Amino acid sequence: MTESAQPAFRGIRVIVVAHGPPLKGGIATVALDLVEDPGLNAEFEMVFQNTAQNDSQRGKFAVENIKRAVADAFNTFRLARAGSVVHSHAVQDPWLVAWRQVCIAVAARARGARVLLHNHNQAPYMELPGEYKVSRLNRWAFALLDKLVQANILIAPAGEPNIRKYMPTVALPVIANSVVVETVPQSSAVHDPPVILFIGELLERKGIVILLDALDQLDAQGVGNYELRILGDNRPGLDLLKDQMVNEITARGRGDTMTGPVSRTEVYRHLSEADLYVFPTFTEGQPFTVIEALAAGVPIVASNIQAISNMITEGVHGRMIALDDTPGFAQAISELLADPQLRSQISQANRTLALQRFDRAVFRERIAELYREHGRAAQ
């Protein structure tokens, strides 16, 4: 529902505070998953507070951002009421973002609502325990939030020791991101020729150069019986760094492998036809593309970073390769291309994992438990 939710609804009111469309990304995806979920809407009065966001100045100390933070807090105060739950999504770092969360929490508590935060930052899930560091202003904001909110939801267990360092008393439930697994067609992972898939932003930090280098090595070794598909928005003029990567992909003779922007339905179609999902990324929080590949039963070859190693197991769901290890990626891709029986076995394991850990039904029930607990507590 939107802010015009039916006033006669007698269930617990939940205000989901997050930046949504026209912005994209993990926060917008999760927020829309919540407010559009039929099961949650049947039990709760779901209200979406789509926060204004100055995208070009995101997270920076700017007058426009301060005005928007105040406006967001005012709108939260207007929508919240005693017995309601405010579910606020943010990266919680840098400090201005964290203090915006403080403003929203104060506004919600002033109305008698309970507050659940949802941490979408990459850093706490990437850094080793105790190595996540924030500024002094950020620490002060975390200290206040530790007293103001009832829980700070994390997307992976790796974030717990890093957030606990700054929020010593608040509950830190772990609830993974999700997809509706049954809507994702399953791949057999056995096609002729096998399809290698990349899905993501066309940026260097996603490891595309490593993928291209690894495939060049395979071509030089005579392992060329595959089809590469690169799914990502390659329209010019949107981002200078993206334009540079598109130019490099084209210059290296792989320009025709780029699909351009595709719908979610088309992403799922490509996954259903894929034999490998290769993701040599450098930094992630909990990537939806890995969840979608699991749901489609596609074997994964990905960087061995904490965010992904918390999601899949080496040798069971694919291969985990050290950061920036081009020969390692080339070898893993080659071995899996040569073994369709192993790909089929991994495919079944991946679909099973998706149903157990990353299905929308699991996500919905965990979230609903928190809404019930804190909605009742606030009434």
Side-chain angles (χ1 to χ4, degrees), residues 301-325:
V301 181
S303 301
N304 189 10
I305 57 176
Q306 189 167 224
I308 298 178
S309 64
N310 277 315
M311 301 173 69
I312 65 175
T313 301
E314 157 68 23
V316 177
H317 307 109
R319 296 292 307 279
M320 302 287 291
I321 310 301
L323 271 177
D324 212 13
D325 182 3

Side-chain angles (χ1 to χ4, degrees), residues 108-126:
R109 295 306 302 272
R111 292 284 280 175
R114 293 294 185 96
V115 182
L116 306 176
L117 301 183
H118 208 129
N119 185 294
H120 295 269
N121 196 359
Q122 292 184 2
Y125 310 103
M126 286 288 299

Side-chain angles (χ1 to χ4, degrees), residues 3-309:
E3 292 183 10
S4 59
Q6 302 154 0
F9 196 98
R10 301 186 66 84
I12 297 168
R13 169 176 276 210
V14 177
I15 300 100
V16 176
V17 183
H19 57 255
L23 297 179
K24 298 180 180 180
I27 293 177
T29 299
V30 173
L32 290 177
D33 286 346
L34 289 167
V35 297
E36 295 177 354
D37 184 271
L40 292 177
N41 276 282
E43 182 175 354
F44 307 100
E45 182 188 4
M46 302 298 296
V47 180
F48 187 26
Q49 182 187 336
N50 190 352
T51 53
Q53 183 78 16
N54 183 1
D55 201 36
S56 64
Q57 296 293 321
R58 187 184 305 178
K60 297 180 181 179
F61 184 71
V63 172
E64 187 65 23
N65 280 337
I66 294 173
K67 290 180 179 178
R68 289 171 188 258
V70 172
D72 292 341
F74 174 79
N75 285 329
T76 300
F77 183 84
R78 180 174 60 86
L79 292 168
R81 64 190 183 205
S84 62
V85 174
V86 171
H87 186 179
S88 185
H89 299 251
V91 292
Q92 301 175 10
D93 177 18
W95 67 268
L96 187 63
V97 177
W99 279 95
R100 174 178 164 273
Q101 294 299 294
V102 171
C103 294
I104 289 170
V106 168
R109 295 306 302 272
R111 292 284 280 175
R114 293 294 185 96
V115 182
L116 306 176
L117 301 183
H118 208 129
N119 185 294
H120 295 269
N121 196 359
Q122 292 184 2
Y125 310 103
M126 286 288 299
E127 300 290 350
L128 294 174
E131 293 190 4
Y132 172 55
K133 293 179 173 57
V134 298
S135 69
R136 180 178 297 178
L137 285 172
N138 222 128
R139 291 199 300 271
W140 291 345
F142 273 133
L144 283 173
L145 290 169
D146 192 50
K147 306 301 182 185
L148 286 168
V149 309
Q150 280 59 57
N152 191 0
I153 300 168
L154 308 180
I155 58 177
E160 196 277 337
N162 285 321
I163 296 299
R164 180 61 71 200
K165 176 180 177 182
Y166 301 109
M167 302 183 76
T169 63
V170 76
L172 298 176
V174 176
I175 304 178
N177 293 330
S178 69
V179 297
V180 182
V181 174
E182 66 180 13
T183 67
V184 184
Q186 184 171 2
S187 172
S188 67
V190 180
H191 300 93
D192 186 17
V195 174
I196 298 173
L197 198 62
F198 171 90
I199 309 170
E201 292 183 285
L202 304 184
L203 296 170
E204 186 174 1
R205 64 181 173 84
K206 294 295 184 179
I208 298 176
V209 172
I210 296 172
L211 170 61
L212 297 177
D213 288 345
L215 294 180
D216 285 348
Q217 288 186 16
L218 294 184
D219 291 349
Q221 297 166 12
V223 184
N225 184 33
Y226 62 84
E227 177 187 344
L228 173 64
R229 300 181 192 176
I230 298 177
L231 275 62
D233 193 342
N234 63 348
R235 291 175 295 177
L238 298 176
D239 184 300
L240 177 60
L241 295 177
K242 187 179 295 185
D243 289 345
Q244 292 172 350
M245 182 54 62
V246 169
N247 290 338
E248 176 158 357
I249 294 170
T250 303
R252 296 179 64 162
R254 308 275 187 180
D256 59 352
T257 67
M258 291 183 286
T259 64
V262 292
S263 67
R264 187 53 45 191
T265 300
E266 281 295 290
V267 170
Y268 289 173
R269 179 183 67 80
H270 284 287
L271 280 166
S272 73
E273 298 170 356
D275 296 81
L276 292 178
Y277 174 54
V278 182
F279 197 43
T281 183
F282 287 90
T283 176
E284 297 292 331
Q286 189 180 71
F288 271 95
T289 56
V290 172
I291 296 174
E292 290 168 332
L294 288 169
V298 179
I300 297 166
V301 181
S303 301
N304 189 10
I305 57 176
Q306 189 167 224
I308 298 178
S309 64

